[in-house]
Amino acid sequence: AATTKAVQYLLNKKMRSPSILCNVFFEFMLLFALIFSFRLSIDVAVFLGGTFISPFVLVYITSILFILRDVLTIISVGSLSRRLIYRYFCDFWDLIELIAVIMTFSTTIMLEVQGKNNASTVALAFTTLLLGLKLIGSLKAINKELATFVIAASKIIKDIKWFALLLIIALSMFAEIVHGIFIITPELCDDHSNLSEGKFCDANVLQSYIRIYSMAVGDIELENFMQTALVVFVYVVFTFFIIIVLLTILIAIVSDSYSKSVLKSDGLFGRARVEYVAKHLARGELLSLEMEGENVMENCKIILKRLFAWIVAIVAVCVAVLVGIFLVLICTKLSELKDEYGFYFHYVLFILLTTLYYLGAFGIIVSGANILAGNKLRLRDIKKRIISQKVFNLMELPLLLFFRVLGIKKSSDTIGDEEFGENDEWLGQIHYIVERTQEIVSKSQEWIKTEIKELLTVSDQRQMSQEESIKMESEKS
């Protein structure tokens, strides 16, 4: 159903609504603020000893906001059905988003308290991985092309699971063979200057496994396996079976899975966008300001619901203001530290993030004022009275880029073929293949009919000539 034009039109129209656009914009801004500030907090903990606390505070603010949003989503979907809570915790990307934020919050506390030590390195690496996965998961409902890559990667991982088992067994087999040959043959382990021999001669067989894996990914030289004829034979079999045969099969599996994902991209992207819009609508329904109820009990619930909605709105506004303030504080401090500690990369990232944040906030404030004023506050009037055409176009550019990333038009009232990929490359290739196949089949049918007619004509002529010859012979006799 998500691939039909009507459903896609409704989804795009809903994505153009001010509430969802505001939600998408601030989610991504806060996510980038969380990732950048977490990375900066690592360098601050290592090089400055935690004396620069603004990155840590920004991580805490954004992490708490994401945790509260996830809790609100769980409550909202749970109010609709308990099964949805179970499905929420069974979804891989939802779990990644929740665990990533919790790990970021706890790892930042660990960094601030303990500084650089061996205890925090594992948590640091795992948290960085989860933040990357959270960013990737957030892209699958935003843009069709990005969603295709994310969904294709997920499908490829699912499709290669049994091949991965076969590959692990094959690598383990060759690792055990080479390790056994080297440790049983004493003269092969006499020269420890050779790196490969040192790995295979180690009593820890795990070193042999690592060395075989490095050979499978390209770190392989024939000179390291010329000791005996048996070693050379194992080398030849390994390079042919693992590097040529199995890796070629892996490439074929990946190509086939990616092709299938691209062909199904419309449906998969539509499903991801439906889930995103449904979660937003569920949160909005939970925070909606209802009218008066029929009895006192319902009125009390509505009052509490309104109070909760206003609290959430006030917290969201306060968080948005605090994030903007701390972004400015971090940029100011980094301008002082970039020369002394080489924080140029962090400085550029935070300058770009702060600029986009304030431009987007300005656009949202103007749009909100326009809506509250009943569309009486027109941007073109502001453009004519206050700012010039070029400055206005520059301020409008982030909004246009944001719509482009979302893959929707700024304003659209009709369902058009262009918006839903009628000229999509893969669909065009399928139509071309179908048309060519039909053309070839029709030509083949015509050719077969022609050939059959010619054969029948030749057969009739031959039969007639035979009959005439028989008649002539009978007349002579």
Side-chain angles (χ1 to χ4, degrees):
T3 58
T4 60
K5 290 184 179 181
V7 174
Q8 290 188 7
Y9 169 74
L10 293 175
L11 287 174
N12 282 351
K13 187 175 181 180
K14 198 64 184 177
M15 290 294 292
R16 285 193 296 269
S17 64
S19 60
I20 293 187
L21 285 176
C22 179
N23 183 67
V24 171
F25 175 78
F26 274 107
E27 274 192 6
F28 271 89
M29 290 295 101
L30 293 176
L31 179 56
F32 282 116
L34 176 63
I35 295 174
F36 294 165
S37 56
F38 177 73
R39 187 64 190 85
L40 178 60
S41 63
I42 298 173
D43 292 339
V44 169
V46 173
F47 297 105
L48 300 179
T51 56
F52 180 25
I53 64 171
S54 295
F56 297 98
V57 177
L58 186 57
V59 171
Y60 298 147
I61 293 174
T62 52
S63 298
I64 292 173
L65 182 65
F66 277 117
I67 291 173
L68 292 177
R69 187 208 63 174
D70 292 337
V71 172
L72 186 63
T73 302
I74 295 171
I75 295 174
S76 60
V77 299
S79 63
L80 300 176
S81 174
R82 293 184 178 179
R83 289 184 178 181
L84 295 178
I85 299 178
Y86 175 76
R87 290 185 63 183
Y88 182 89
F89 284 104
C90 290
D91 186 80
F92 173 77
W93 294 109
D94 290 335
L95 280 178
I96 286 294
E97 290 186 2
L98 183 60
I99 297 173
V101 177
I102 295 174
M103 283 295 299
T104 304
F105 186 83
S106 57
T107 305
T108 305
I109 295 176
M110 189 184 305
L111 280 172
E112 189 177 11
V113 174
Q114 299 180 359
K116 55 177 182 178
N117 54 24
N118 294 328
S120 62
T121 53
V122 176
L124 178 64
F126 187 61
T127 303
T128 305
L129 173 64
L130 289 178
L131 283 176
L133 291 176
K134 177 178 173 59
L135 177 59
I136 293 173
S138 301
L139 297 175
K140 65 184 177 67
I142 302 302
N143 184 270
K144 179 182 175 181
E145 286 74 17
L146 294 174
T148 301
F149 297 140
V150 174
I151 296 169
S154 303
K155 183 171 178 56
I156 288 170
I157 293 175
K158 291 179 181 178
D159 290 345
I160 65 173
K161 57 180 181 296
W162 298 116
F163 175 82
L165 178 62
L166 174 62
L167 184 61
I168 291 172
I169 294 174
L171 291 176
S172 303
M173 176 183 67
F174 279 102
E176 293 288 348
I177 291 173
V178 178
H179 181 74
I181 293 174
F182 271 81
I183 62 175
I184 292 176
T185 310
E187 59 271 13
L188 295 180
C189 295
D190 293 339
D191 184 12
H192 294 285
S193 61
N194 190 301
L195 179 62
S196 298
E197 294 181 2
K199 296 292 184 182
F200 290 123
C201 294
D202 199 309
N204 185 8
V205 71
L206 183 61
Q207 297 292 333
S208 298
Y209 282 73
I210 296 174
R211 176 58 183 145
I212 285 292
Y213 174 77
S214 67
M215 291 170 59
V217 296
D219 185 14
I220 184 170
E221 294 181 3
L222 179 60
E223 290 76 10
N224 296 329
F225 299 91
M226 295 292 293
Q227 291 84 356
T228 63
L230 181 58
V231 174
V232 174
F233 175 76
V234 172
Y235 169 84
V236 172
V237 175
F238 173 82
T239 53
F240 177 78
F241 183 70
I242 299 293
I243 298 179
I244 298 178
V245 177
L246 290 186
L247 295 187
T248 303
I249 295 174
L250 176 61
I251 294 172
I253 295 174
V254 171
S255 300
D256 183 64
S257 300
Y258 180 75
S259 300
K260 291 179 180 177
S261 299
V262 172
L263 292 176
K264 297 179 181 178
S265 59
D266 285 333
L268 297 174
F269 174 62
R271 180 179 177 181
R273 182 161 280 191
V274 166
E275 292 178 357
Y276 183 86
V277 173
K279 290 178 183 177
H280 176 80
L281 294 178
R283 291 194 296 264
E285 180 66 22
L286 184 64
L287 301 175
S288 62
L289 300 178
E290 298 178 353
M291 302 300 291
E292 294 184 358
E294 298 179 354
N295 51 50
V296 178
M297 196 64 164
E298 290 185 359
N299 287 329
C300 291
K301 290 182 180 180
I302 291 173
I303 292 173
L304 292 175
K305 189 175 180 180
R306 288 181 177 181
L307 180 61
F308 180 68
W310 279 109
I311 291 174
V312 171
I314 293 172
V315 169
V317 173
C318 293
V319 169
V321 174
L322 285 175
V323 170
I325 293 173
F326 276 100
L327 285 176
V328 173
L329 292 176
I330 291 174
C331 290
T332 305
K333 188 67 175 179
L334 287 176
S335 64
E336 302 173 0
L337 298 175
K338 60 183 176 61
D339 294 327
E340 184 178 357
Y341 293 96
F343 288 166
Y344 291 99
F345 183 68
H346 293 298
Y347 179 68
V348 172
L349 288 180
F350 274 95
I351 286 292
L352 292 175
L353 181 62
T354 305
T355 304
L356 291 175
Y357 188 84
Y358 278 95
L359 285 176
F362 174 80
I364 290 171
I365 291 172
V366 172
S367 300
N370 190 22
I371 294 172
L372 292 176
N375 294 326
K376 295 179 180 179
L377 181 62
R378 300 294 181 181
L379 288 177
R380 59 174 178 269
D381 297 333
I382 299 176
K383 176 179 64 175
K384 293 178 180 178
R385 298 176 183 177
I386 302 176
I387 54 180
S388 64
Q389 177 73 29
K390 293 183 179 179
V391 175
F392 182 80
N393 292 335
L394 182 62
M395 296 174 66
E396 199 179 32
L397 181 61
L399 183 61
L400 297 177
L401 292 175
F402 189 57
F403 277 104
R404 185 66 180 269
V405 170
L406 288 177
I408 58 178
K409 296 180 180 179
K410 188 177 179 181
S411 61
S412 178
D413 298 324
T414 59
I415 305 178
D417 293 338
E418 206 173 68
E419 186 176 359
F420 301 110
E422 282 295 314
N423 296 323
D424 186 79
E425 180 182 357
W426 281 92
L427 291 177
Q429 290 183 8
I430 293 173
H431 292 319
Y432 174 77
I433 293 172
V434 171
E435 291 176 358
R436 290 292 299 168
T437 304
Q438 292 177 350
E439 183 181 352
I440 291 171
V441 170
S442 62
K443 288 183 178 180
S444 300
Q445 291 175 350
E446 293 177 359
W447 180 80
I448 292 172
K449 290 179 180 179
T450 306
E451 289 291 325
I452 291 174
K453 287 181 180 179
E454 291 179 357
L455 291 174
L456 289 175
T457 303
V458 172
S459 177
D460 291 339
Q461 292 176 355
R462 185 179 300 171
Q463 186 175 0
M464 291 176 62
S465 63
Q466 290 179 356
E467 289 177 356
E468 290 178 359
S469 61
I470 292 172
K471 287 179 180 180
M472 293 177 63
E473 290 179 359
S474 61
E475 290 176 356
K476 289 179 179 180
S477 61

